[in-house]
Amino acid sequence: MSFELPDLPYAYDALEPHFDAKTMEIHHTKHHAGYIAKANAALAGTDWDGKCTGEILACIQMVPENIRTGVQNNVGGHANHSLFWSILAPAGNGGGGEPTGALADEINKVFGSFEEFKKQFAEQAATRFGSGWAWLGLDKDGTNLHVGSTANQDSPMMFGHKPLLALDVWEHAYYLNYQNRRPDYINAFWNIVNWAKVSERYEQFKA
Ligand code: MN3
């Protein structure tokens, strides 16, 4: 079985005006689909075809050196985008606001406040040079809630870490609507974060 493009859990225009419909459609049907096509092509005809469907860490470790970069970039791209779509929701209809419960408590404990967490996450997103991702996540063992960023389609999942929240800062994610104004795109993101989903991931992965 090869990788398949997952449906979005909302319409392309559902995240307007924060993420515009045209960007969402291109991002999903061209960029995400492109990673999937290349991931499938990298594995096609190899002994790993159909076996590399689980965690990206296991996938990268199992494939041979000569296709590893292609797998890292494209299976990584598929994994990252799948997570990204899942932690977004329309503003005021599942998106925006603040986390509650155990995740809120841990954010306050680690960062001091939700505002301070947002500031540190936004800094990771704004200062990632070139293309990449900003993250909130846990270590492999479910401890150490922290923010960070990765280049290209690298992912905390490559190290066995457990990302909870992801923001794509490739220009393809925002250029149509925000051009060079990445900080405005980052600000807009907070209106459509599905904190219930992020909390669900926290409960799933925390030690
Ligand atoms: Mn992208």
Side-chain angles (χ1 to χ4, degrees), residues 27 81 133 153 168 170 172:
H27 202 171
H81 286 88
W133 291 79
Q153 293 299 346
D168 189 342
W170 284 58
H172 70 226

